[in-house]
Structure formats: C-alpha cells, structure tokens
C-alpha cells in the first residue's frame, strides 16, 4: 500500500498525461516499489520529493510506466493509404519532402515501416520525397529506436522476403539497413505539452491516446492542431479515432479510413519544408473551448436521455440532439446516448453520422 499514491498519479498525469485508471494502478505500484528498492531505502514521501525535482529520476520511473508494445507493419491499412494515396497527392501539389511524424513511436517500428514502404515506392527519389521523424517521451525506448536492432518479436506477420531485404541477421537479432535507418530521426518530446515544428503533413498517433483521459486528449488535440499542416492528416489507431472526435480537429473519411484534419478556419500558410524539427512549448488558446465542467451525476445523464427520447418520439430531432450532446459532453463513451445519436442521424438520413455512431458503439 503506497500512502501517497494519489500524489504520484497527479504528478505523472500533469507532466506527461499518463492516467492510471483503476486497472493500471498495479503498474504504478510495481514501478514505484522497484525504483525505491533500486535507490536504497527512501520512504514513499521522500521519493515523491525527489521525483518532483529530478528529471533524471522522473525519466527512470517513466521508462517503467510506459507501455511500448509495437511491431512492424501494425494496422497496415493506414500505412498503405499514406504511401499509395496521401504522399503521392501531396507530391503532385508541391515539391517534397513530405514531412511525416510517428508520435509515441516507441522502439521505432512504425516509423521504419513507413520508411520501408516509401522506399519500395520511390527508390532513388526516397530521400528527396520524404522526411520521417519519430518522437516519444521514453528516453530508454528511444535508444532502442535509434539502434534499429530488433528481435523476431517485432516481425509478427511480416513477409520474410521483406525482412531479408531490409535487415541483416545477427544471431537472434535483425539490424535495419542504413538506407532506412539513416532516414528516420528520433526526438524526445512530450506530445501533450511540447510541439515538434515545422508542421507535419502526416502525423501518426496510434495506440498512445488510450493511456490519456478525456481532459488530456482534448489538450493533446490543441497541440496537434498546431503541429499539422493546413492540408495535413492525423491518424489515430483504428479503435481510437471516434473516442478522439472532440470537434477541435475535423474528422474526415477518405480511402475507407478516418483521419483528422485542420478545421477550415484555422488554415494558415505552410512553412518551407525540409527544415529540421525544433521543440517548443505550446500555447493553448485562452479562449479554447476546453472547459473542465463539473461531471454530471448518472441520474442527471439518465434524465437528459429520457428528455432526448421524448423529443425523438415527437420527431423534435434538433432538441433531442441537444440533450444527447449534453450527455456526450460529460461522458463521450455513453453507449445509450451514442445509439440514440445514431438513430437520430438515421431519421435525418445523415448516414455518415449514423455509421460513425454505430462504429463507436461497436468499438466500445
Ligand atoms: C503502445 S506504444 C505505441 C507505439 C506505436 N505508435 C504503435 O502504434 O505501434 C505507446 C508509446 O507512447 C509513448 N507515450 C506515452 N505518453 C507520451 C507522451 N506524453 N508523449 C510522447 N510519447 C508518449 C510511450 O512511451 C509508448 O512508447
């Protein structure tokens, strides 16, 4: 039992966004016990004081807390869309390089998978056409990404021929060839609080936001808004997209997939491509519609749902949507509200919205 566990949770969430839901508390417990044992015999209170002032110690604890699960060509449909549709379209509109970021890149497999695919497509023009970066909060895992030396565990489901083409076997390990290795640059960055600039044409942020609560995900969206080119595309993991639809970035469906893009109003002039990234602390607009409202009770949500249903029965759909909006504002994953939202959209023949709501409920 850790007496001040809540203080640790708050410190970590405030700094890097990671939220220890009930099921994840065991991970935090184990990591704190491990670090305290490794350091000597500090009390939890003493260790907390050290954590507040020592970035080195914070990073060590963080490496035990991040979940770095990844592998080559994970969720490949999105990689195909980027390589076969989006990058060629951008290159038709302007000269390269197309700037791509794998945010929360872990040990680098996602960024290198894209690089391999793009190399297969562009061969000699690969270097001029694309500029690929990865960033992560975990310094230890970034060392692994930079080393680009992998065990067979990273190649689940990868075509053996492709593995032979781009990697050299050394015992049980596989070393990525320089042509791909040298093309991807890695940076230590906190995607919730820092921006990597200049802006990117394509950002992948897959299997990262699942560790953040709604409040942090909203902050994250404002940050991403500032990092995305006017015509850029931001991809979440397939199962995460709808839970990230806050109306800050615009959800778009294209090529059978969903991604986020800039809302029309915030489009600005793109900076010149080809510049090395710099990391800055973001400015979240003071007037941003990010309000942490008091969480309504379950009874309050039930009452709004009843009001919405009464409106639907009377075919007063706009009013019904307002009640449902109130529920979803406080509980984005409220399944009953999502079903009603989908049903209203169906009544209004808004089939895209119907499909979005249905997909969201199915994912839940
Ligand atoms: C499960 S891995 C995802 C890897 C890869 N994107 C994929 O989909 O296979 C999640 C990664 O997000 C990183 N991460 C968590 N919080 C972060 C933050 N605030 N800023 C940057 N990276 C973060 C973790 O260190 C971890 O390596």
């Amino acid at each position: 039992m850790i007496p001040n566990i809540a203080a640790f949770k708050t410190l970590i969430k405030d700094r890097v966004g990671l939220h220890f839901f009930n099921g994840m508390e065991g991970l935090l417990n184990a990591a704190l016990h491990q670090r305290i044992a490794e350091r000597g015999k500090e009390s939890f209170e003493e260790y907390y004081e050290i954590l507040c002032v020592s970035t080195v110690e914070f990073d060590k604890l963080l490496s035990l807390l991040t979940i770095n699960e990844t592998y080559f060509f994970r969720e490949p449909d999105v990689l195909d869309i980027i390589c076969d549709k989006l990058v060629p379209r951008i290159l038709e509109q302007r000269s390269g390089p197309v700037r791509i970021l794998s945010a929360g890149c872990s040990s680098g497999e996602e960024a290198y998978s894209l690089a391999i695919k793009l190399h297969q497509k562009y061969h000699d023009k690969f270097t001029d056409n694309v500029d690929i970066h990865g960033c992560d909060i975990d310094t230890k895992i970034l060392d692994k990404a930079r080393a680009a030396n992998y065990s067979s565990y990273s190649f689940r489901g990868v075509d053996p021929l492709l593995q032979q083409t781009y990697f050299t076997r050394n015992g049980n390990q596989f070393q990525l060839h320089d042509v791909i290795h040298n093309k991807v640059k890695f940076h230590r960055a906190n995607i919730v609080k820092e921006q990597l600039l200049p802006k990117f044409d394509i950002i992948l942020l897959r299997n990262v936001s699942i560790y953040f609560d709604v409040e942090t995900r909203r902050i994250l969206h404002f940050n991403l808004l500032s990092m995305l080119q006017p015509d850029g595309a931001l991809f979440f993991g397939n199962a995460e997209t709808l839970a990230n639809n806050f109306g800050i970035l615009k959800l778009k469906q294209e090529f059978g997939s969903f991604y986020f893009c800039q809302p029309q109003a915030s489009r600005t002039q793109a900076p010149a491509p080809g510049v090395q990234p710099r990391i800055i602390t973001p400015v979240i607009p003071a007037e941003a519609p990010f309000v942490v409202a008091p969480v309504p009770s379950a009874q309050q949500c039930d009452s709004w749902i009843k009001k919405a249903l009464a409106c639907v029965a009377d075919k007063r759909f706009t009013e019904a949507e307002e009640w449902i909006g109130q529920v979803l504002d406080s509980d984005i994953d409220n399944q009953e509200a999502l079903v009603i939202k989908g049903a209203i959209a169906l009544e209004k023949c808004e089939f895209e919205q119907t499909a979005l709501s249905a997909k969201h409920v199915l994912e839940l």
Side-chain angles (χ1 to χ4, degrees), residues 15-18 62 65-71 74-75 102-110 135-139 141 188-194 204-212 216 220 237 240:
R15 289 233 186 128
V16 296
L18 295 179
L62 197 58
L65 295 174
T66 50
I67 302 203
N68 306 120
E69 165 70 5
T70 187
Y71 47 93
R74 186 180 194 178
E75 296 183 14
S102 161
C105 63
S106 187
S107 35
E109 286 90 330
E110 181 177 77
C135 77
D136 203 285
I137 190 77
D138 181 346
T139 45
I141 206 72
R188 201 263 192 191
N190 177 356
I191 200 73
V192 179
K193 295 209 165 173
E194 293 168 325
L204 287 164
L205 183 68
R206 303 192 300 171
N207 307 299
V208 181
S209 77
I210 43 176
Y211 304 107
F212 303 149
T216 305
L220 176 68
E240 296 167 90

Side-chain angles (χ1 to χ4, degrees), residues 173-186:
Q173 295 293 114
F174 297 84
Q175 179 66 47
L176 181 60
H177 291 176
D178 282 352
V179 64
I180 305 298
H181 189 182
N182 295 338
K183 188 64 190 156
V184 183
K185 302 278 174 284
F186 291 99

